Amino acid sequence: MKGLQDQNLPTRSNALYLTGLLFEQSPELQHHAPKVCELVLPLLKRETDPQALDNACGCVGRLIKSTHNLLDLPRVRSPNILCPYGRLTTSAGIGRL
């Protein structure tokens, strides 16, 4: 989980991607989902690199998909958390909600 907060961008981006995959593929890790979600959700607000932001979104999506019964979904689905600036950033560009 250290990699999720690493200052090195490639390390952080890869950690986000792999964390999502691990939770998707490893049911034995599911009890860690709430703590991991608490680490990843703030990155959705402050991450500026498009690849790392994409990986953070994918990680949250995989966490929701695989451990929805363990997460506080109203908090996770809050527009202020998932899309704090009223925009979505994708590889195709920026769009309004």
Side-chain angles (χ1 to χ4, degrees):
M1 290 206 270
K2 239 179 167 178
L4 297 174
Q5 298 174 322
D6 202 284
Q7 295 300 313
N8 182 278
L9 178 60
T11 300
R12 186 172 63 251
S13 183
N14 289 334
L16 287 161
Y17 179 77
L18 291 173
T19 298
L21 287 180
L22 279 171
F23 275 89
E24 189 175 55
Q25 301 296 320
S26 305
E28 63 273 10
L29 295 177
Q30 290 185 354
H31 65 281
H32 294 290
K35 183 174 182 177
V36 171
C37 204
E38 289 298 317
L39 290 172
V40 175
L41 286 175
L43 295 177
L44 295 177
K45 287 185 177 182
R46 67 176 189 256
E47 189 62 66
T48 58
D49 177 73
Q51 183 66 47
L53 182 59
D54 184 59
N55 288 344
C57 290
C59 182
V60 170
R62 288 181 174 97
L63 283 168
I64 291 170
K65 179 181 168 190
S66 60
T67 64
H68 57 87
N69 57 323
L70 300 173
L71 301 175
D72 180 6
L73 287 182
R75 181 177 183 285
V76 173
R77 290 176 42 198
S78 166
N80 292 330
I81 291 175
L82 290 182
C83 196
Y85 307 110
R87 64 179 170 87
L88 295 175
T89 304
T90 66
S91 59
I94 296 175
R96 303 270 325 146
L97 283 179

